[in-house]
Amino acid sequence: MDATLRPGLLTCRLCGDPLARTFVDLGMSPLCETYLAAEELDRMEPFYPLHVRVCERCFLVQLPEYVPPEEIFSEYAYFSAYSDTWVEHARRYCQTVIERFQLGRQSMVVEIASNDGYLLQHMVAQEIPALGIEPAANVAAEARKRGVETLVSFFGADLARRLASEGTRADLLIANNVLSQVPDLHEFASGLETILAPGGVLTLEFHHLLRLIAGRQLDTIYHEHFSYFSLHTARALLSAHGLRVFDVEELPTHGGSLRLYVCHEEDGRPEEPAVGTVARAEAERRLGTLEGYTGFSQAVVEVKRDLLSFLISARRQGRVVVGYGAPGKGNTLLNYCGIRSDLLEFTVDRNPYKQGRFLPGTHIPIYHPDKIFSAKPDFILILPWNIKKEIVDQLSLAREWGARFVVAIPRLEVIE
């Protein structure tokens, strides 16, 4: 059965059942990483529905595949190395797994969706053989500059079989924040099983659906994310392909993530107590019933109303409000709320790729962070709220003229 979810054939990409239940409908939105050059502002800009469903059988939360991954990820605007918080997260992870699984020069580490080498650079520094697999050629080029061997390709069963036939199987297989970006889950999971060496460990990180719901994190929903996972749905997918979760960590990243430790089904590793702890937490939030998915739609409406009320009030008082960051999540929030440059004059970002361009849909201009110090705004809306501490620290000098920081999620907060 073809369980791929496509417009006009709304079936669950995990179990194949028909999809009829709405989780949340955020209206129409452009692709969140399609930053526009000035000459593109007068051209037609495609918008797609952000109408998320939940499967009534397996409870996978998902979006249709309106745009194939090749159109989204072949050239990508997200570079992980521009976030100090994220690079440090990767360094700590590498230190942990090297020690826990006794990785060394005899080991092979493979990372799927390896981005700009922000993580594997730490393996390379320890002289541990590593291979990155990254579909975006422009991002992969940055990884190679860091000394990370990188294959420009989408990962799937065919590539896994080819690499395995050539002798490349992973003692540690890393797939951080990529599972949600895969439209064909079964083809991807089959590839994971193929390339994972006997006795090897796969680690998966993804934004935890439980935290998304509890934290009203509507801005983590966008077209680049096809699915939104709980431990329950991730285990169902992995189990269907001979893989077993033996440990799990709860992480603060992205507003609350899970890191799964996975092995082949026949591997004798014991299941750690943390797996049961997270499973029980999901059961308590009723994520195994439809009841657990009701109420989110109304919660995100409150986020929208509170943010708009704040911005309108600030502008009527003659206050200047600007943004910090140009993340994909910020574009979901701004487009859902209908915010344009009359309410948010501009935003800034450390990524040179985005500077001088405009946000998709809203056409808010993006500048270098120094623009904040010349404009001296009254309020700075932090769009990547998940790293707000890093940003407040970076912009500490803004307090000298009385600027205050604002976040909209999980609820509107003015940081004094």
Side-chain angles (χ1 to χ4, degrees), residues 182-233:
V182 175
D184 191 336
L185 293 176
H186 290 289
E187 200 264 350
F188 185 82
S190 174
L192 296 177
E193 193 279 333
T194 297
I195 200 172
L196 183 64
V201 172
L202 159 69
T203 66
L204 285 165
E205 290 185 24
F206 53 82
H207 187 206
H208 193 188
L209 178 63
L210 185 151
R211 301 302 171 198
L212 185 156
I213 295 172
R216 307 197 298 182
Q217 296 166 1
L218 69 106
D219 57 344
T220 59
I221 295 170
Y222 37 86
H223 299 104
E224 286 84 343
H225 287 173
F226 300 110
S227 305
Y228 304 82
F229 285 91
S230 61
L231 173 62
H232 171 79
T233 51

Side-chain angles (χ1 to χ4, degrees), residues 296-414:
F296 185 72
S297 291
Q298 184 56 42
V300 303
V301 169
E302 294 303 316
V303 172
K304 177 179 182 176
R305 289 172 178 167
D306 289 346
L307 178 56
L308 283 172
S309 293
F310 168 79
L311 291 174
I312 291 169
S313 175
R315 295 300 280 162
R316 282 178 170 164
Q317 295 172 28
R319 306 292 183 87
V320 175
V321 186
V322 306
Y324 185 98
K329 62 171 55 183
N331 292 322
T332 291
L333 177 68
L334 297 175
N335 279 286
Y336 172 60
C337 295
I339 294 167
R340 303 291 187 270
S341 56
D342 59 326
L343 294 178
L344 192 71
E345 292 194 4
F346 62 83
T347 192
V348 302
D349 199 277
R350 293 175 68 188
N351 186 347
Y353 183 93
K354 300 178 183 181
Q355 293 165 11
R357 294 176 179 257
F358 296 80
L359 298 181
T362 63
H363 296 183
I364 294 170
I366 310 166
Y367 298 114
H368 187 280
D370 287 348
K371 177 73 172 178
I372 284 182
F373 297 99
S374 60
K376 291 184 170 52
D378 299 289
F379 295 101
I380 302 167
L381 175 64
I382 299 175
L383 294 172
W385 48 264
N386 52 303
I387 55 170
K388 65 181 180 181
K389 183 180 185 304
E390 174 185 333
I391 293 167
V392 170
D393 290 344
Q394 286 176 16
L395 300 180
S396 59
L397 292 178
R399 298 184 186 280
E400 293 182 0
W401 67 81
R404 289 185 287 174
F405 299 93
V406 182
V407 293
I409 291 174
R411 58 191 50 82
L412 191 85
E413 176 188 4
V414 178

Side-chain angles (χ1 to χ4, degrees), residues 83-389:
S83 170
D84 297 337
T85 299
W86 194 241
V87 172
E88 175 59 18
H89 170 76
R91 187 197 64 78
R92 290 196 305 269
Y93 162 82
C94 289
Q95 181 179 353
T96 297
V97 293
I98 288 171
E99 294 175 358
R100 180 173 181 179
F101 303 116
Q102 299 182 326
L103 302 176
R105 295 180 182 179
Q106 78 290 348
S107 308
M108 183 66 200
V109 177
V110 177
E111 183 181 12
I112 301 165
S114 51
N115 202 259
D116 56 9
Y118 74 100
L119 186 149
L120 288 182
Q121 65 181 339
H122 302 295
M123 295 294 181
V124 171
Q126 297 294 318
E127 299 184 349
I128 298 172
L131 172 67
I133 302 172
E134 168 57 49
N138 64 316
V139 180
E142 295 300 312
R144 293 193 185 107
K145 293 177 183 177
R146 293 185 168 89
V148 177
E149 181 184 353
T150 305
L151 175 64
V152 178
S153 178
F154 284 93
F155 178 81
D158 288 343
L159 178 60
R161 284 191 291 266
R162 177 169 71 80
L163 290 173
S165 70
E166 295 170 354
T168 299
R169 298 192 75 183
D171 300 298
L172 175 66
L173 181 59
I174 306 167
N176 288 347
N177 300 295
V178 63
L179 190 60
S180 63
Q181 299 174 340
V182 175
D184 191 336
L185 293 176
H186 290 289
E187 200 264 350
F188 185 82
S190 174
L192 296 177
E193 193 279 333
T194 297
I195 200 172
L196 183 64
V201 172
L202 159 69
T203 66
L204 285 165
E205 290 185 24
F206 53 82
H207 187 206
H208 193 188
L209 178 63
L210 185 151
R211 301 302 171 198
L212 185 156
I213 295 172
R216 307 197 298 182
Q217 296 166 1
L218 69 106
D219 57 344
T220 59
I221 295 170
Y222 37 86
H223 299 104
E224 286 84 343
H225 287 173
F226 300 110
S227 305
Y228 304 82
F229 285 91
S230 61
L231 173 62
H232 171 79
T233 51
R235 290 173 87 181
L237 171 65
L238 295 166
S239 177
H241 295 274
L243 297 169
R244 177 174 61 86
V245 177
F246 68 87
D247 199 4
V248 62
E249 290 180 56
E250 295 183 84
L251 306 172
T253 53
H254 300 295
S257 297
L258 293 181
R259 176 186 292 153
L260 307 188
Y261 292 85
V262 182
C263 60
H264 288 289
E265 189 68 55
E266 63 273 15
D267 193 302
R269 300 173 193 270
E271 182 178 295
E272 300 295 335
V275 178
T277 299
V278 175
R280 287 190 293 274
E282 291 185 351
E284 290 171 2
R285 294 300 296 261
R286 305 189 66 81
L287 294 190
T289 71
L290 286 176
E291 183 181 345
Y293 302 88
T294 61
F296 185 72
S297 291
Q298 184 56 42
V300 303
V301 169
E302 294 303 316
V303 172
K304 177 179 182 176
R305 289 172 178 167
D306 289 346
L307 178 56
L308 283 172
S309 293
F310 168 79
L311 291 174
I312 291 169
S313 175
R315 295 300 280 162
R316 282 178 170 164
Q317 295 172 28
R319 306 292 183 87
V320 175
V321 186
V322 306
Y324 185 98
K329 62 171 55 183
N331 292 322
T332 291
L333 177 68
L334 297 175
N335 279 286
Y336 172 60
C337 295
I339 294 167
R340 303 291 187 270
S341 56
D342 59 326
L343 294 178
L344 192 71
E345 292 194 4
F346 62 83
T347 192
V348 302
D349 199 277
R350 293 175 68 188
N351 186 347
Y353 183 93
K354 300 178 183 181
Q355 293 165 11
R357 294 176 179 257
F358 296 80
L359 298 181
T362 63
H363 296 183
I364 294 170
I366 310 166
Y367 298 114
H368 187 280
D370 287 348
K371 177 73 172 178
I372 284 182
F373 297 99
S374 60
K376 291 184 170 52
D378 299 289
F379 295 101
I380 302 167
L381 175 64
I382 299 175
L383 294 172
W385 48 264
N386 52 303
I387 55 170
K388 65 181 180 181
K389 183 180 185 304

